[in-house]
Amino acid sequence: MLMMGAVGLAIARIRDLFAVSMLSGIFSLIGAAAYVVLDAVDVAFTEAAVGAGISTVLMLGTLALTTRKEKMGGGKSKSTAAFLVVAVTGAVLVYGTFDMPRYGDKIAAIHHHVVPRYIEKSGEEVGMPNIVTSVLASYRGYDTLGEVFVIFTAATGVLAILGRARRRREDEEADEGRSGTKEIAS
Amino acid sequence: MQGIVDAFQPLYDLWLSFEAFMVGPASPGLLGYWIVIGLMMTGFYIVIAHDNLVKKIVGLNVFQVSVFLFYILMAKVSGGTAPILAEGISVYSNPLPHVLILTAIVVGVATTALGLALVVRIRNAYNTIEDDEILAVEEEEDR
């Protein structure tokens, strides 16, 4: 996790966007390693595939369509103000953690509501040894269906935004082409 | 295969000693949360202090991953294993946050994709992806 901190700071400082997108992939990958040691193996391989894989590809695609360099900008006053806001928010959040259950605490409230039932019964009821899978696909199946709708909506949105832009550019090129031939003709 | 596993042993030992320190008497058991908050604030700083739109989205991603890590930290039960039923194991980590975060990761990628598509579109319209330059162009158009 300290490694993740180092990578995060590097992302904040570096202005070459190609390096930044690579670093964000590395950040996700280290995050996936952290999930493994925290016993969340399903989350880890989703993060490694989706966070470190697909996100990085999307980011590189965007850079190919736009620009690689971040401009130097933003006065010193702006970054100081931002730092102040961040420091205050962080302090409030740290204050909030004092009421949290301690790390690894067995008697924390979240481990004692429906979770024991899932752990005891899901093996018989769903017939799957992996509790995460049986909760995701069976007990919370509608939630997962909603997630699929979210992805579908996002994909439709991306296609609507980018598809139209490309068509417009082709139109402009066609217009330019036509005016070009007209000039030659005249 | 075993060789690969052995190669990561020192790293895992490092983690175990960190974990022992985190639950030990020397720290209040909240150190993990504090590191996560540090990460979160890094992402937040990137979002508000930078003008570049791609950089802002990377910042949002950093923030997102740290929130995920926060949930997973809460799900950990000391002495527990991954929530996969097996003979002879009685203590499992909490599977419910894992499910929530699985959903959240996928939704997060969907929003990232949409955001990046908007960035490409903005670049086509304004020929820049810097926030302040977009504002300058808009003021120019208003005049």
Side-chain angles (χ1 to χ4, degrees), chain B residues 78-90:
Chain B
S78 44
T81 63
I84 297 173
L85 295 172
E87 293 281 323
I89 294 174
S90 57

Side-chain angles (χ1 to χ4, degrees), chain B residues 55-124:
Chain B
K55 197 76 172 272
K56 275 182 198 282
I57 289 179
V58 173
L60 272 183
N61 268 339
V62 169
F63 195 98
Q64 230 174 22
V65 172
S66 38
V67 173
F68 299 161
L69 207 55
F70 187 64
Y71 268 69
I72 301 298
L73 270 176
M74 286 196 284
K76 172 79 180 167
V77 177
S78 44
T81 63
I84 297 173
L85 295 172
E87 293 281 323
I89 294 174
S90 57
V91 185
Y92 298 101
S93 286
N94 193 336
L96 215 48
H98 298 182
V99 176
L100 296 179
I101 294 311
L102 267 183
T103 311
I105 287 177
V106 176
V107 172
V109 162
T111 49
T112 306
L114 205 55
L116 289 174
L118 281 173
V119 170
V120 171
R121 185 75 188 87
I122 286 170
R123 153 87 178 181
N124 283 343

Side-chain angles (χ1 to χ4, degrees), chain A residues 13 74-88, chain B residues 45 48-49:
Chain A
R13 298 307 308 172
K76 198 145 197 153
S77 60
K78 188 182 175 188
S79 55
T80 319
F83 187 78
L84 273 180
V85 171
V86 165
V88 170
Chain B
Y45 178 81
I48 58 179

Side-chain angles (χ1 to χ4, degrees), chain A residues 3-109:
Chain A
M3 269 162 84
M4 284 179 81
V7 174
L9 285 180
I11 291 177
R13 298 307 308 172
I14 293 177
R15 292 190 175 269
D16 183 357
L17 291 176
F18 180 73
V20 165
S21 52
M22 280 300 147
L23 278 175
S24 80
I26 294 174
F27 185 79
S28 289
L29 202 59
I30 301 175
Y35 297 146
V36 172
V37 293
L38 290 169
D39 291 346
V41 283
D42 305 79
V43 183
F45 70 64
T46 314
E47 177 72 41
V50 169
I54 299 178
S55 290
T56 313
V57 171
L58 288 174
M59 212 80 86
L60 291 179
T62 313
L63 293 189
L65 289 174
T66 59
T67 163
R68 266 190 63 169
K69 284 280 173 206
E70 182 183 10
K71 298 234 170 60
M72 293 295 284
K76 198 145 197 153
S77 60
K78 188 182 175 188
S79 55
T80 319
F83 187 78
L84 273 180
V85 171
V86 165
V88 170
T89 319
V92 172
L93 284 176
V94 168
Y95 175 70
T97 60
F98 288 119
D99 285 340
M100 297 269 304
R102 301 296 178 255
Y103 170 81
D105 195 352
K106 283 194 187 74
I107 54 170

Side-chain angles (χ1 to χ4, degrees), chain A residues 126-146:
Chain A
V126 188
M128 198 99 67
N130 190 334
I131 304 172
V132 174
T133 311
S134 50
V135 174
L136 190 73
S138 178
Y139 295 108
R140 287 177 182 246
Y142 283 115
D143 193 32
T144 310
L145 184 65

